[in-house]
Amino acid sequence: MYSETENYEIIMKRATDRKTSKTKRFVMLTVAAMMLVMLGLTFLICCYTLKAESHVRYVSILNVASERIAKTIRGMEMSAKNIFDEVQQHLDSPDAVIGALKSKTSQNPDIKGYFAAFEPNYFPQRSKFFQPYIYKGENNGQYVESQVGSGEEDYTKSELYIKAKKLGKSYWSDPYYYYDGSDLSGHYCSFMTPIYDAEGKLACICGADMTCEWLTKELKQIDYASKQNDLLNRFLPNKETDFYTVVMNNDGTCIAHPEGRGLLIKDKQVINDLKQRKNGMVEMTVSGKPVTVFYGPVTDHNWSVAVVVPAEDTSQPMIIAGLILLVVAVLGMIVVYILVKI
């Protein structure tokens, strides 16, 4: 049996223990709540920072692709203009024109062929429609001469001819498919230029044909260079990214894809941006998978370039950051619990 004094001390000790236990639980819950709030804020800041880093990274890739494609196009234009100038200086005879078309064909291997479509009856000694075409053969890579114009083929009614004649200046055609059953059949885009004689009259429409294969190869090289860039990818948790670059027309259709597949954008705001040559970003679904598309104009050209990034490529860094913070939170809770128990 305890004395009254001892009983009082026991009761007071139990009361103190209960109070201390409640205090420890309160401290533990307060510290845990503060840790969760701080970790939550840290996660939000990390997500924002990672999104900004991802945005800057892919916009940089977009700008590099735009300038590289524009540089290649400028090289093609320069090669074509050199030959067109030769044609303009040799309008005195059909043979001289053919010689001019052949003169500098080796300057740019990406150009499939060159032609000069003359105004009807420009050379009375030839047929009404005279259009010599010098193109690269498939077998030996040598340039071959062909006569496209004939008495039955009025090329002056073609969209390419009419537009060049109406504009009175050089322009790039939209991509189109040409088929004649020969090795010339394929997808093309053409650089068109009207040529005028010494009296200022239209003599012919010159054109340089490029197959879309060069653009596909260019996109593959751009993607490979970006993925192998150690400085650009230095802080990526996963080096095996699956983004790819495409070239689009201003109506949202895909002109060139590194794997030859299609990509169609139907978003009206995006199409409006493409027409107005604006930069932008849109989230959409491609082949059933969510992606983010960064887009912008090709420098000095009416095309646009887009970098298509799978959602997992942009979300993976945030998932990794979230898991790290979760582990830190669990470890912190364990430490606080142990300290409270001591």
Side-chain angles (χ1 to χ4, degrees):
M1 297 294 293
Y2 298 104
S3 64
E4 290 184 5
T5 301
E6 291 175 333
N7 285 333
Y8 176 76
E9 290 177 350
I10 291 172
I11 292 172
M12 290 301 295
K13 185 177 184 305
R14 289 175 178 174
T16 301
D17 289 345
R18 286 196 295 271
K19 186 176 180 180
T20 301
S21 178
K22 288 182 180 179
T23 301
K24 288 182 177 180
R25 284 198 297 270
F26 175 76
V27 171
M28 177 181 173
L29 291 173
T30 301
V31 172
M34 291 178 65
M35 283 183 62
L36 290 175
V37 171
M38 291 180 65
L39 289 171
L41 289 174
T42 302
F43 179 69
L44 290 176
I45 294 172
C46 284
C47 286
Y48 181 83
T49 303
L50 290 170
K51 280 185 177 181
E53 188 277 334
S54 177
H55 184 90
V56 171
R57 178 173 184 269
Y58 289 112
V59 168
S60 298
I61 294 173
L62 176 73
N63 291 336
V64 169
S66 173
E67 181 54 39
R68 180 164 172 172
I69 292 171
K71 184 178 180 180
T72 303
I73 291 174
R74 286 195 294 269
M76 291 181 173
E77 290 179 353
M78 186 176 297
S79 298
K81 287 178 179 178
N82 287 338
I83 289 184
F84 298 164
D85 288 343
E86 287 292 319
V87 171
Q88 190 171 33
Q89 295 172 21
H90 294 82
L91 296 175
D92 49 322
S93 71
D95 292 336
V97 169
I98 295 173
L101 287 174
K102 292 180 177 180
S103 62
K104 299 178 181 179
T105 51
S106 60
Q107 285 188 345
N108 197 315
D110 290 321
I111 299 179
K112 177 71 173 181
Y114 302 88
F115 65 86
F118 280 84
E119 284 282 89
N121 296 314
Y122 189 85
F123 293 114
Q125 65 271 41
R126 290 294 184 108
S127 60
K128 179 179 179 180
F129 300 110
F130 178 63
Q131 183 183 348
Y133 187 51
I134 309 299
Y135 67 96
K136 187 187 299 182
E138 292 293 332
N139 296 329
N140 53 16
Q142 298 297 316
Y143 281 86
V144 180
E145 178 188 342
S146 173
Q147 179 57 242
V148 179
S150 68
E152 298 178 356
E153 182 181 351
D154 186 359
Y155 49 76
T156 63
K157 295 181 180 178
S158 70
E159 182 180 348
L160 297 178
Y161 191 98
I162 293 172
K163 186 173 181 179
K165 187 174 182 178
K166 182 178 180 180
L167 290 175
K169 62 180 181 179
S170 300
Y171 81 96
W172 279 91
S173 73
D174 290 334
Y176 60 92
Y177 184 76
Y178 175 79
Y179 179 79
D180 64 0
S182 70
D183 57 2
L184 289 176
S185 300
H187 289 91
Y188 289 87
C189 53
S190 299
F191 180 63
M192 310 293 292
T193 299
I195 301 298
Y196 299 91
D197 60 22
E199 297 178 356
K201 296 180 180 179
L202 179 66
C204 65
I205 302 296
C206 280
D209 293 336
M210 274 69 69
T211 65
C212 292
E213 292 178 1
W214 75 267
L215 197 50
T216 300
K217 292 178 182 178
E218 189 84 0
L219 292 176
K220 288 182 179 179
Q221 292 173 2
I222 290 170
D223 290 345
Y224 179 80
S226 298
K227 292 175 181 179
Q228 297 300 314
N229 190 320
D230 292 335
L231 185 60
L232 185 66
N233 303 318
R234 183 175 182 180
F235 298 106
L236 283 183
N238 179 17
K239 306 298 183 182
E240 299 297 325
T241 51
D242 292 327
F243 73 88
Y244 55 90
T245 310
V246 300
V247 175
M248 298 184 299
N249 214 342
N250 58 14
D251 60 357
T253 56
C254 181
I255 295 174
H257 187 292
E259 302 301 328
R261 297 194 295 268
L263 174 68
L264 178 62
I265 293 181
K266 298 181 179 179
D267 188 294
K268 293 182 179 179
Q269 181 59 50
V270 175
I271 294 175
N272 187 55
D273 286 348
L274 297 179
K275 291 180 178 179
Q276 296 185 22
R277 301 180 57 75
K278 292 182 178 180
N279 290 32
M281 179 185 72
V282 63
E283 294 180 350
M284 55 185 289
T285 301
V286 176
S287 300
K289 296 182 179 180
V291 299
T292 301
V293 179
F294 299 85
Y295 58 87
V298 174
T299 308
D300 300 325
H301 201 67
N302 59 353
W303 293 343
S304 292
V305 64
V307 180
V308 183
V309 187
E312 55 264 28
D313 278 9
T314 53
S315 62
Q316 188 182 52
M318 288 179 280
I319 293 173
I320 293 175
L323 290 174
I324 292 174
L325 290 174
L326 180 61
V327 171
V328 171
V330 172
L331 292 176
M333 295 287 288
I334 293 173
V335 171
V336 171
Y337 177 77
I338 293 174
L339 291 175
V340 169
K341 281 295 185 180
I342 296 177

